[in-house]
Amino acid sequence: MANAVKETKNYVPKKEVRTYAIAALGQGLVYSCMSSYVTDYYMNVLALDAMFVILLMLVARVFDALYDPFIGMAMDRKKTKWGRMKPYPVITAIPIAILTILMFVNPGFDTQNQTIGLYVFVGISYVLWGMVYSISDVPFWSLPNVMTPDAKERGVLISHGKTVGGIGSAVTVALPIIVGYFVAGRENADILKYAIMAISMSVIGMPLYAMSSFKIKERVQLPNVTKKDDGQPSTFKRLFSCKPLMLVVLAGVLSFGRYMLQAAAPHVARYSGLYIGKKPTTLEEYNTNISNVALVIQICAALGMFGAMLVLPKLYKRFEYKRIMLVSCLGGFVASLFTIAIGWTTKNLLLCIPFMLISAVPLGVINNVSFAMVCDCLDYLEWKTGLRDTGLGSSCQAFVNQIGNAFATVMIIGMYILIDLDVATLNSKAESVVNIAMNLDATKQFGMFALVTIVPGISLLLCAIPLFFYNLTGEKKKKIFEELAQLRKERGVEVEE
């Protein structure tokens, strides 16, 4: 009986679970604003050179991905008097808010003549945003590892955080429509719209995010990682030797297409030739149609993602993480094929809605389940080596997100280059932009529609391949966790109440 009570013990009170979830919401508001619209802002509002944008985002994201593990190592090596992970959200909240606003506010550069100053400003603000965000993101999503020693409770924390944090995506779906209504008809309406979005999301989101530094308790008091003993493998070698972790990381990178369902929506809405209602013939109708088509795609992405997140806690009780991931990836791939077939033959986006919803399910599943799998892999690594690289291990998830976003961005802008779609020339045509955009040749329109259909679908199919080899499941996983709990007692790892 005593063992049964111990197994069901909750370390984290509900109030603290809610605090963590609300902080994740604040982070999600800012991150979704950036990730969903920055390419559209750079390409179609500032009209920056496509090759510049693709190189900027690729280099910045790859740098961030390589930079994240060193942040994790720094956290593992030293605990501050305020905690190991807790100080970072409050320290980085204001810099992130300022840099987010700078990314979407043009301080007066000439966008018509594309001055060098504009490019320098864009490059510096974008790179700095990624660096500061990494310093914040890695410790925040490492918090579940130190809030509770219980794997199931940790999974609940991650699920709540990702689910509520994902509301940020839903908010940013509607935001362009709401803000666009108020700025319609004004000079430089698009520039004004994005500035208002960035300012409002930063002012609301970052205070919510920062409160996690004050309301959350680090209960698992892991010792600082010290210099390795002679004969002991290096931290990176230890990490790379963990086969289950490397498989999860590889699967996450290959699933980069899931980010495109939302990020590519504004681009697809502009140039795929799809429309809702009657075909646009005026600039006003064209702009309205862009908002409507993008809204439908992004709502489907948000609903599919949230639907998955809401049922995940129940699925966790019945199925292994591996099975949930595989089924969602394969289902998303099949749904993407139906979406492209129906959408392309009918040009009716509304008929695609059921399949777009299914295509978006992996967005919620992978975001949640892969993170829980990473945490399980850290337990496995601790059981195997006696050392727990919480920060470094969790930075693997940040690495996956950074690389995934980089690949998604490359695919979006790469498609512009592949189909030879010259945005700058198109935008210079004023009213004739409607006729040109709505009557692009079939290859160009198909290429743009593929960004939210075939490309994400193939990405999900690739994601499933390494998952077949992941074996931290069933009785093996249960045995490891039981032995780890005993080993922690023997090593004197403290767990506060």
Side-chain angles (χ1 to χ4, degrees), residues 26-27 29-31 33-34 88-105 121 125 128-134 136 194-210:
Q27 187 197 48
L29 289 172
V30 173
Y31 183 78
C33 182
M34 186 285 298
Y88 296 93
V90 71
I91 291 172
T92 56
I94 292 177
I96 289 174
I98 293 171
L99 289 167
T100 302
I101 293 169
L102 289 177
M103 285 175 64
F104 289 96
V105 173
F121 174 76
S125 60
L128 283 178
W129 188 94
M131 292 178 65
V132 177
Y133 185 82
S134 291
S136 170
Y194 279 121
I196 293 172
M197 287 170 55
I199 293 170
S200 60
M201 292 299 94
S202 298
V203 170
I204 295 170
M206 284 298 97
L208 295 177
Y209 178 60

Side-chain angles (χ1 to χ4, degrees), residues 16-26 140 157 160-162 164-165:
E16 196 171 322
V17 174
R18 289 194 295 268
T19 297
Y20 185 69
I22 292 171
L25 168 62
F140 180 75
L157 271 169
H160 278 76
K162 293 289 185 179
V164 179

